[in-house]
Amino acid sequence: MSTLTATQLQQQYIAYFGRPGDPAGIKYWLSSSSGISSAREFADKIYAQDEYKTSTVGTKSTEAQVNQLYQNLFGRSADAAGLIYWTGQIEAGTLQLSNVAYDLIWAASNPVANNSTQAAADATALQNKVAAAAAFTADLEASTSAILAYQPESTSPWKSGAAFDSAVTFISGITTTAHTAAGVDSAIS
């Protein structure tokens, strides 16, 4: 049985796709039929999706991909020491890129362990992004036309399209300031 939460799923959608999860995707991954039981397993699966692998980020250097995770999760570029550390861990084979997002999320969710001002700001940004993503997904779920519109333009080859681009723009604008209902409505329309 899956022990995943909607929050964990939204965190990974934000990390790798830079957007909120779609209602059907969230429900699927929460179900026991998905075969995924942990957030780390989900990180491996979502990282392997065509949406990430064929995106402009998924085809870039390890450094650029790590930096994009920081951008998507926290709304900032990676600090030089963090970028060097995570890149080194990946290139040494100690971690995979999917592990890095999971570990960054863990660190932001436990800012006291990191005891820094930046860690607290990252925690706030991630909390705000997840809350905004949850509100976005809930609004989508309430409208058949919104669900139908929130689809990729093409899946073979992958092309995100305007609906996903709008969601990315919405989430990227959330950092230390929480979302508003009007902002969610605007991004969905």
Side-chain angles (χ1 to χ4, degrees):
M1 170 127 185
S2 176
T3 59
L4 290 169
T5 66
T7 295
Q8 291 169 319
L9 297 176
Q10 290 286 11
Q11 289 169 337
Q12 294 294 332
Y13 271 88
I14 292 165
Y16 287 103
F17 304 150
R19 67 171 177 86
D22 56 284
I26 296 291
K27 289 196 181 316
Y28 171 77
W29 292 112
L30 286 174
S31 76
S32 60
S33 65
S34 73
I36 304 297
S37 63
S38 72
R40 190 171 291 278
E41 279 183 85
F42 180 67
D44 291 336
K45 291 289 185 187
I46 201 163
Y47 167 75
Q49 298 296 309
D50 284 344
E51 182 174 355
Y52 183 80
K53 289 294 189 182
T54 62
S55 72
T56 57
V57 175
T59 59
K60 291 187 177 179
S61 69
T62 301
E63 291 89 346
Q65 290 182 64
V66 169
N67 192 59
Q68 190 63 51
L69 291 174
Y70 274 82
Q71 289 285 348
N72 290 352
L73 290 168
F74 312 128
R76 67 173 179 89
S77 290
D79 54 286
L83 184 61
I84 291 168
Y85 172 78
W86 294 114
T87 301
Q89 293 294 303
I90 294 164
E91 290 176 352
T94 307
L95 293 176
Q96 295 182 22
L97 199 55
S98 62
N99 301 138
V100 174
Y102 178 84
D103 291 341
L104 286 171
I105 291 165
W106 182 90
S109 300
N110 296 282
V112 174
N114 297 318
N115 196 23
S116 76
T117 304
Q118 188 60 61
D122 289 347
T124 299
L126 183 57
Q127 288 168 356
N128 286 343
K129 285 177 180 282
V130 171
F136 186 98
T137 302
D139 272 18
L140 282 177
E141 195 169 13
S143 168
T144 299
S145 62
I147 291 169
L148 293 173
Y150 195 57
Q151 303 293 321
E153 189 173 301
S154 169
T155 57
S156 185
W158 183 269
K159 185 169 182 180
S160 292
F164 284 2
D165 292 345
S166 176
V168 167
T169 299
F170 167 67
I171 287 296
S172 68
I174 305 293
T175 53
T176 57
T177 304
H179 72 282
T180 64
V184 172
D185 292 344
S186 177
I188 290 176
S189 66

